[in-house]
Amino acid sequence: MLVNAKEMLDKAKAGHYAVGHFNINNLEWTKAILETAQELNSPVILGVSEGAGKYMTGFKTVAAMVKAMIEEMNITVPVALHLDHGSYDGCYKCIEAGFSSIMFDGSSLPIEENLAKTKELVEKAHSLGMSIEAEVGAIGGEEDGVVGMGECADPEECAKIASLGIDFLAAGIGNIHGVYPDNWAGLQFDVLDKIDKAVPGMPLVLHGGTGIPADQIKKAIELGVSKINVNTECQIAFAKGTREYIEAGKDQQGKGFDPRKLLAPGTAAIKATVKEKMELFGSVGKA
Ligand code: 13P
């Protein structure tokens, strides 16, 4: 069932667990994540970056595919289709394409411009029954060519943007997109605690979910994180599963080159990764 992400995240905040946001890149990714969510009776958020949207030929293709897959696969758990790190124009494209949720990432803009654009998009999204995530303070690492330094958000800015009526908030707490460097300092729980107190009841979003140790994930959830974004870990799992299949020469045995066979181990590896994350985040059985 395609829904916006507000209710599932409000429930997660109240119930002290987090809903996984898993980025999708193609049909196999989407199918693997939807199947796992249904098997585990878990709510789920399908994240689409602007780059991935372009790769899949556009947001309309993505929305049509996701809606059709939910129907054809009899997916009854709540599924949100969410734009990840959207630009102002990207948000309007996803609104038009029929997404159920958007993220406007104005974190690289001057705060006044971020607030003004977020306010406009909150009104637009809510008038159409969509949920909206906003961001203040850069999050480190690289995604689709955007580079940040693992900064932490300012709780006062968090309070200002939250007052605009956004549904959930991405605020940097030392998290980074991609694989964490060996010298990573870890999540800044003192900052998270201050942010959570500055925006009471607001579901907080932890980007850069790949590779964060389980104890830090659990502590972040305890302190108010209700949505955790994972992308790189599924990509690594998919690549590993595919590589092992080819290195074992299986693509050259019988009809092992058939894409349905060739892509199966990678797809199974994504399913295993998503399952592990849903169990860690505590969303299993919460649909
Ligand atoms: P990772 O690629 O580090 O898992 O981060 C995903 C993310 O935050 C998407 O917005």
Side-chain angles (χ1 to χ4, degrees), residues 7-56:
E7 190 183 327
M8 66 169 87
L9 292 178
D10 283 346
K11 274 193 193 165
K13 180 90 184 183
H16 304 286
Y17 60 92
V19 177
H21 152 138
F22 301 96
N23 285 75
I24 58 172
N25 289 288
N26 61 16
L27 182 140
E28 279 72 22
W29 242 259
T30 313
K31 184 176 164 186
I33 298 163
L34 288 176
E35 270 178 9
T36 311
Q38 186 69 25
E39 281 162 18
L40 298 181
N41 196 33
S42 169
V44 72
I45 298 169
L46 302 177
V48 184
S49 69
E50 297 211 3
K54 205 166 164 188
Y55 174 77
M56 289 184 271

Side-chain angles (χ1 to χ4, degrees), residues 21 23 84-85 143 176-180 206-210 229-233:
H21 152 138
N23 285 75
D84 191 23
H85 292 287
E143 187 164 278
I176 300 173
H177 283 133
V179 176
Y180 283 88
L206 181 61
H207 282 251
T210 292
N229 291 16
V230 179
N231 184 11
T232 305
E233 212 159 317

Side-chain angles (χ1 to χ4, degrees), residues 5-20 40-45 78 202-206 217-228 277-287:
K6 180 173 170 51
E7 190 183 327
M8 66 169 87
L9 292 178
D10 283 346
K11 274 193 193 165
K13 180 90 184 183
H16 304 286
Y17 60 92
V19 177
L40 298 181
N41 196 33
S42 169
V44 72
I45 298 169
M202 172 70 62
L204 299 174
V205 183
L206 181 61
I217 291 279
K218 287 194 169 146
K219 189 157 183 203
I221 294 172
E222 255 172 54
L223 290 172
V225 164
S226 315
K227 173 177 182 275
I228 303 177
K277 296 297 168 196
M278 286 178 165
E279 284 167 351
L280 175 63
F281 301 165
S283 70
V284 174
K286 298 291 196 320

Side-chain angles (χ1 to χ4, degrees), residues 45-260:
I45 298 169
L46 302 177
V48 184
S49 69
E50 297 211 3
K54 205 166 164 188
Y55 174 77
M56 289 184 271
T57 77
F59 295 126
K60 285 185 185 161
T61 309
V62 179
M65 175 181 76
V66 168
K67 285 176 188 174
M69 285 173 89
I70 289 173
E71 190 185 327
E72 301 272 20
M73 294 167 67
N74 295 318
I75 301 296
T76 55
V77 296
V79 178
L81 176 59
H82 181 68
L83 171 64
D84 191 23
H85 292 287
S87 63
Y88 180 79
D89 291 344
C91 283
Y92 276 101
K93 282 189 186 148
C94 287
I95 288 169
E96 202 191 314
F99 275 44
S100 66
S101 189
I102 49 172
M103 172 186 189
F104 172 58
D105 181 357
S107 63
S108 60
L109 301 172
I111 182 71
E112 293 309 327
E113 188 180 346
N114 185 7
L115 292 172
K117 290 194 162 134
T118 298
K119 184 169 187 288
E120 178 192 315
L121 286 160
V122 165
E123 281 158 19
K124 183 75 187 166
H126 286 176
S127 73
L128 296 165
M130 301 170 74
S131 51
I132 177 165
E133 173 179 350
E135 178 172 341
V136 289
I139 287 173
E142 186 271 337
E143 187 164 278
D144 279 348
V146 180
V147 181
M149 301 304 291
E151 289 150 36
C152 288
D154 169 2
E156 276 180 30
E157 286 188 0
C158 291
K160 274 191 196 160
I161 206 159
S163 74
L164 302 176
I166 60 166
D167 299 296
F168 32 107
L169 173 67
I173 52 165
N175 40 327
I176 300 173
H177 283 133
V179 176
Y180 283 88
D182 292 339
N183 61 356
W184 178 51
L187 296 177
Q188 305 299 302
F189 293 114
D190 53 331
V191 178
L192 173 55
D193 194 38
K194 282 187 196 132
I195 292 171
D196 192 53
K197 290 194 169 102
V199 295
M202 172 70 62
L204 299 174
V205 183
L206 181 61
H207 282 251
T210 292
I212 299 179
D215 57 330
Q216 292 194 38
I217 291 279
K218 287 194 169 146
K219 189 157 183 203
I221 294 172
E222 255 172 54
L223 290 172
V225 164
S226 315
K227 173 177 182 275
I228 303 177
N229 291 16
V230 179
N231 184 11
T232 305
E233 212 159 317
C234 289
Q235 297 188 3
I236 292 171
F238 182 83
K240 182 167 178 282
T242 309
R243 184 175 62 247
E244 283 168 3
Y245 180 86
I246 292 176
E247 280 178 355
K250 292 187 183 166
D251 59 316
Q252 288 161 6
Q253 293 162 14
K255 285 209 169 181
F257 50 77
D258 178 334
R260 285 173 252 165

